[in-house]
Amino acid sequence: MSESTRALSRAGVSIWLDDLSRSRLDSGELRALIASHDVVGVTTNPTIFAGAIGSGVGYGERISACAGRGLDVASTIVELTTADVADACDVFAEVYAESGGRDGRVSIEVEPGLARDTAGTVAQARELWAKVDRPNAMIKIPATVEGLEAITETIAAGISVNVTLIFSLERYRQVINAYLTGLERARAAGHDLSGIHSVASFFVSRVDSEIDARLTAVGTAEALALKGQAGVANARLAYEVFEQAFDTERARLLLDLGANAQRPLWASTGVKDPSLRDTLYVEELVAPQTVNTMPEATLNAFADHGEVRGETVTSEYLESNQLLNAIDALGIDYGEVTEKLELEGLQKFDASWAELCGTVERALAD
């Protein structure tokens, strides 16, 4: 058992692994991480599944079975990914029960091509929810403008949602509103609000990557001194938004009726700049009611030498605002940065999906 991950869990941070594959399931490695690293959930995305299925490990027989049934590429991908997610949900069933549904969650994302299609997103969210058929599943929906109404409709149907690709504070406020509206509709439809859960995945390291490149281009000593800080500052201010939004009369009414707060989830927490500490995006974002979904390398690094210095978010709101203001004063436009990051995030998932489709198509043809 890692003392570092245990301390992080005690500080109110749920540790989720940002990775899933058939080999992790079949080898028992995923189950072992629950005991050794306090892992209480899993997130997936098209890139993760492209890598897992592209490796060929553990999927041969399943793909052959799909070919024998005459399934096309898209249907085969659904079969493979939902089977992995359902089995992972079973691995986390005890965690799910013990946490009252808070953790033990496994997320599966709608097809990237639906990111601008509200109706298509809702339809596939329902399809994936029914196909996985586990109460501890979560459907990932990108926080595009079109995705906001899809989030509302999916929550209203009683389906738990992981909202992904959030970069800006303004969009995060819209995501929370979409969640609360969904809960209000769910209540009107007679759903038990206590059974509906959601997390809002706020991306961290990609903000640093983009802003640091622009600070380097500015090149002054003042600009260079600000590098490696914007991602954490942005996430800390997101937590302030979370605190404010769920302390309103509207939210408190729903919480009093048994609803759950939509927890902030820190995503993209693997450090991309080798000059930064490999545990930076874990240690600097410790706060109650949060989730940190880590790639394996970050999880192992934190388990080995991570430090929990207490809560590291709420005392830094003023400094975080000052930092973003200083970056803005250098001519780096926050809105332009976050819009670019959302577009790039969608493009990366589109590319991964195309790669995954190509891999499965070739495998079906063999």
Side-chain angles (χ1 to χ4, degrees), residues 6 43 75 111 224 234 244 296 303 342-343 359:
R6 176 51 54 88
T43 49
S75 298
E111 183 181 334
L224 297 178
N234 196 40
Q244 293 170 345
E296 184 176 22
E342 178 183 298
L343 179 60
T359 298

Side-chain angles (χ1 to χ4, degrees), residues 14-21 24-25 28-35 37-44 84-107 134-137 299:
S14 294
I15 300 170
W16 292 5
L17 176 69
D18 193 28
D19 191 41
L20 182 63
S21 65
R24 281 194 188 277
L25 291 162
E29 179 185 351
L30 182 59
R31 188 177 296 278
L33 287 174
I34 297 173
H37 286 32
D38 292 272
V39 171
V40 292
V42 163
T43 49
T44 70
D84 281 2
V85 169
D87 287 351
C89 282
D90 291 342
V91 170
F92 284 103
E94 185 175 345
V95 173
Y96 170 74
E98 290 178 349
S99 66
R102 176 186 178 89
D103 287 311
R105 295 283 175 174
V106 185
S107 299
R134 300 293 190 278
N136 49 330
L299 175 63

Side-chain angles (χ1 to χ4, degrees), residues 191-242:
H191 289 289
D192 176 7
L193 298 187
S194 67
I196 304 171
H197 287 256
S198 183
V199 293
S201 297
F202 205 87
F203 280 53
V204 186
S205 68
R206 294 189 195 181
V207 174
D208 269 343
S209 296
E210 181 62 29
I211 288 182
D212 284 1
R214 297 182 184 216
L215 290 169
T216 299
V218 173
T220 64
E222 179 187 9
L224 297 178
L226 298 175
K227 289 180 64 177
Q229 301 176 67
V232 167
N234 196 40
R236 284 170 169 166
L237 293 177
Y239 192 80
E240 183 179 31
V241 170
F242 161 72

